[in-house]
Amino acid sequence: MTLRFEPVSETHCIVYLGEAIDPSLAESIAALAKALRAALPSALVEVVPSYTSLLLEFHPLRISRKQLERAVLEQYALLQSSQASGQTQQHTLTLPVYYHSEVGPDLDDLAASAGLAKEQVVEIHSQQIYTVCAIGFAPGFAFLASVDERIAAPRRATPRLKLPAGSVGIAERQTAVYPQQSPGGWQIIGNCPQLLFDPKHSPMSPFEVGMQVRFEPLSREQFIELGGQICLDWK
Amino acid sequence: MSGLEVVKPGVLSLLQDRGRYGVALQGLSSGGAMDLHAYGWVNRLLSNHSNAAVVELTMGNASFRATCDVKLALCGAEMAAKVEGVAQPNWQSFILRQGQLLELGYARTGLRAYLAVEGGFQVAKTLGSVATVTRNRLGGLRDGQPLQAGDRLPVAKQLLANFHSEVPKAFQGRYPEQLNLSLIESYQAPLFSESAKQAFYQGEYQVKPESDRMGIRLSGPVVSGLHAGLISEGIAQGAVQIPPDGQPIVLMNDRQTLGGYPKLGCVARLSLNALAQARPGTRIRFVPAELDEQSEKWRNFLRFFEC
């Protein structure tokens, strides 16, 4: 895989590591982001990893674009040699989800259009291991790939104005949990009662790009016990 | 603690500093003062730290009362400031005595004014910054909310002595109704056709009223030819995004961190300061700029304001 380093503005550069969405790319991008932050703690003011790229904001009085490019190439080479020797370790985050139409109003329709029983949709969704490919859209909103093709579903034609915090959605081959109440167009199939974004907490969110995530089905009783709430006014 | 009391917050008054950094990978916006030129000067006038907390007033129509003697400065948009009914010019320091009222009208030229106090407003930081980002519910006095009537803005120290200071005329901001913005081509620029770029550079755009701290929306000649969604990627300050309707949006401080629309490049940082003061209806033209030249100018700006 070749790396492409491009200037973006006086203060930003972008590094491309691939051309297509691929969960394994997320791990390399996350590792590069982490290594660069450690290597350039004051010169690098912001890193924004995404599916195939890493946007870097640098302080132009502390590092030049050329120096930054050299650091990126250096760190990337180091990572490739450590990955080749198999030093990466994986941590999987397990998130509890209550899958039911009372917290997932699109579950029935999604199952019907996939030609599956609801139970099968739940099974397929909760058996997959996902990779956090990007965090964005809203604070702590983690894009997880890849959803099994059998339950992939398009975004809703009209986004909902208000989704409760914890809503678990599917959009094409991605899935995500809405960490805070927000508008949203993804197809909602359940709810995760765990708090997933809190700016007063460190870390603010359990997600990191490159991390693995799986979902564990909950009963209604367990959901309520964990503080889950049933939303009654879907709009 | 005493300081300034918000009597009338006006259209939109937000506590800001240079912004919140190291948080974009959690999907948070940096926020921060939109016009770093006026922000830089207002702090320099008071010998403040280059990241001090100030109030950013958009459109104006606000008033504040001093609850102790304070030294203030006001830079940026012209809002016909008055102290107890007497005109108080922008771009200089002044004293507001205990009990006195500072009133600002609606902006006459420019859009955003910066009100600073000696030592900076003493407000608790959230994740390293006081910057108010309403859409992230972060910063300011409480959870990203704009200032409200009755809010108190504490100051660091009581007034010691009045050394008057003023920004030299040549450096005071002027906010014309027609702006040329320097554009650094980058991102997907090579994928746009020559005719699309020609339409963009030859056309005149207008700032739309629905512009905000997230993005300055423009209307004018359609920039066509690249409507396929991209894989989402990080969005830099000033990125010029071209959505399917071909009407450019310049992404500013409160922008989303990731996006999948094609981008022609970035408006140069110095031009962004000017754009932050552009009122709805301001006419905009884009001029291609050299990255190295703009980078040198921006480094000089940062050196001058000791950022």
Side-chain angles (χ1 to χ4, degrees):
Chain A
M1 188 170 40
T2 54
L3 172 151
R4 204 148 47 89
F5 180 94
E6 292 181 5
V8 165
S9 72
E10 304 98 316
T11 48
H12 289 73
C13 293
I14 192 164
V15 182
Y16 292 102
L17 282 96
E19 304 292 337
I21 293 180
D22 168 5
S24 70
L25 212 48
E27 288 165 39
S28 312
I29 291 169
L32 181 59
K34 204 171 199 170
L36 284 168
R37 289 176 82 196
L40 307 167
S42 73
L44 199 58
V45 296
E46 201 60 280
V47 298
V48 190
S50 187
Y51 294 95
T52 56
S53 64
L54 179 62
L55 179 73
L56 304 172
E57 179 173 1
F58 60 99
H59 195 300
L61 298 184
R62 297 182 190 149
I63 195 169
S64 71
R65 209 163 55 238
K66 269 272 157 260
Q67 289 168 321
L68 179 61
E69 181 171 10
R70 270 199 296 275
V72 167
L73 295 174
E74 217 174 88
Q75 293 300 325
Y76 186 62
L78 281 172
L79 283 172
Q80 284 200 312
S81 55
S82 73
Q83 272 165 0
S85 61
Q87 285 177 4
T88 52
Q89 47 161 11
Q90 273 307 336
H91 162 70
T92 303
L93 175 72
T94 301
L95 296 176
V97 175
Y98 174 43
Y99 295 95
H100 192 279
S101 52
E102 63 179 340
V103 291
D106 299 317
L107 179 60
D108 293 355
D109 285 352
L110 192 148
S113 51
L116 297 165
K118 276 189 280 186
E119 295 71 25
Q120 289 173 295
V121 172
V122 173
E123 196 181 313
I124 294 167
H125 189 260
S126 58
Q127 274 179 355
Q128 186 85 350
I129 293 187
Y130 303 96
T131 304
V132 179
C133 286
I135 297 176
F137 167 69
F141 186 97
F143 292 84
L144 306 174
S146 296
V147 168
D148 190 294
E149 266 180 279
R150 286 172 292 169
I151 59 167
R155 287 172 176 81
R156 288 169 54 86
T158 312
R160 288 195 174 86
L161 297 174
K162 197 180 89 179
L163 291 174
S167 291
V168 177
I170 289 179
E172 307 297 345
R173 296 199 59 190
Q174 304 179 94
T175 186
V177 186
Y178 285 83
Q180 293 176 315
Q181 178 185 303
S182 89
W186 292 31
Q187 305 234 22
I188 306 303
I189 60 169
N191 191 285
C192 169
Q194 198 164 310
L195 183 64
L196 292 174
F197 182 78
D198 179 3
K200 294 178 182 75
H201 191 264
S202 179
M204 288 178 264
S205 142
F207 298 119
E208 268 179 55
V209 170
M211 171 190 269
Q212 314 251 284
V213 178
R214 56 179 290 272
F215 297 105
E216 191 173 64
L218 285 177
S219 68
R220 191 179 204 272
E221 292 69 34
Q222 290 170 316
F223 175 67
I224 302 291
E225 206 167 291
L226 288 171
Q229 288 183 2
I230 311 286
C231 170
L232 298 173
D233 59 332
W234 290 92
K235 283 173 190 161
Chain B
M1 222 188 313
S2 49
L4 272 194
E5 185 189 334
V6 180
V7 177
K8 194 168 71 171
V11 180
L12 180 67
S13 293
L14 302 171
L15 278 163
Q16 296 292 355
D17 52 22
R18 287 180 62 89
R20 189 171 285 110
Y21 287 89
V23 295
L25 69 178
Q26 285 300 337
L28 299 175
S29 309
S30 65
M34 290 274 279
D35 174 7
L36 290 176
H37 172 262
Y39 171 82
W41 274 114
V42 84
N43 279 323
R44 196 183 176 93
L45 281 176
L46 300 168
S47 304
N48 284 352
H49 188 273
S50 66
N51 192 35
V54 309
V55 176
E56 179 183 271
L57 296 116
T58 302
M59 284 304 291
N61 191 33
S63 57
F64 303 85
R65 191 178 298 281
T67 59
C68 63
D69 292 358
V70 286
K71 186 173 179 182
L72 304 174
L74 193 60
C75 288
E78 170 55 48
M79 294 179 182
K82 286 178 189 159
V83 171
E84 293 294 314
V86 178
Q88 173 56 55
N90 274 9
W91 305 100
Q92 47 187 271
S93 66
F94 59 97
I95 303 290
L96 197 64
R97 298 282 171 195
Q98 182 175 356
Q100 283 188 325
L101 189 70
L102 168 69
E103 290 174 286
L104 300 109
Y106 283 105
R108 294 172 174 179
T109 64
L111 187 64
R112 296 183 164 91
Y114 294 87
L115 174 65
V117 68
E118 190 175 31
F121 293 109
Q122 300 300 297
V123 179
K125 294 179 177 183
T126 311
L127 304 171
S129 166
V130 306
T132 312
V133 182
T134 310
R135 54 185 289 274
N136 289 164
R137 298 171 215 162
L138 273 185
L141 292 181
R142 65 193 91 73
D143 301 333
Q145 286 180 42
L147 293 177
Q148 291 165 17
D151 279 347
R152 284 169 185 275
L153 301 169
V155 300
K157 50 185 174 188
Q158 297 271 326
L159 178 67
L160 297 174
N162 181 16
F163 298 106
H164 181 77
S165 50
E166 187 171 345
V167 178
K169 269 275 184 298
F171 297 108
Q172 296 183 7
R174 276 177 298 274
Y175 308 120
E177 286 173 7
Q178 201 279 327
L179 279 180
N180 288 335
L181 302 180
S182 299
L183 184 96
I184 298 162
E185 286 190 18
S186 58
Y187 279 126
Q188 287 76 42
L191 304 179
F192 283 87
S193 69
E194 277 312 308
S195 63
K197 281 191 207 169
Q198 232 172 41
F200 176 74
Y201 286 122
Q202 288 177 358
E204 188 175 78
Y205 291 88
Q206 282 204 328
V207 174
K208 288 202 225 174
E210 54 268 44
S211 299
D212 58 15
R213 289 182 45 91
M214 238 178 121
I216 310 288
R217 293 165 179 269
L218 304 177
S219 65
V222 168
V223 184
S224 60
L226 196 65
H227 298 328
L230 303 168
I231 296 173
S232 285
E233 60 185 19
I235 303 177
Q237 175 84 339
V240 179
Q241 177 177 281
I242 311 291
D245 67 3
Q247 301 289 285
I249 303 173
V250 185
L251 293 159
M252 304 294 284
N253 304 50
D254 289 5
R255 68 193 181 280
Q256 66 279 30
T257 53
L258 299 175
Y261 289 126
K263 300 171 287 301
L264 262 172
C266 292
V267 172
R269 300 299 294 248
L270 289 178
S271 288
L272 287 178
N273 290 337
L275 183 60
Q277 294 289 358
R279 306 149 68 88
T282 301
R283 286 169 288 137
I284 303 280
R285 281 181 180 278
F286 291 94
V287 180
E290 289 294 325
L291 174 61
D292 286 339
E293 191 187 329
Q294 294 300 324
S295 298
E296 185 53 32
K297 286 184 180 175
W298 186 242
R299 283 194 296 269
N300 288 338
F301 179 92
L302 295 177
R303 273 185 210 111
F304 181 78
F305 286 113
E306 294 167 10
C307 299

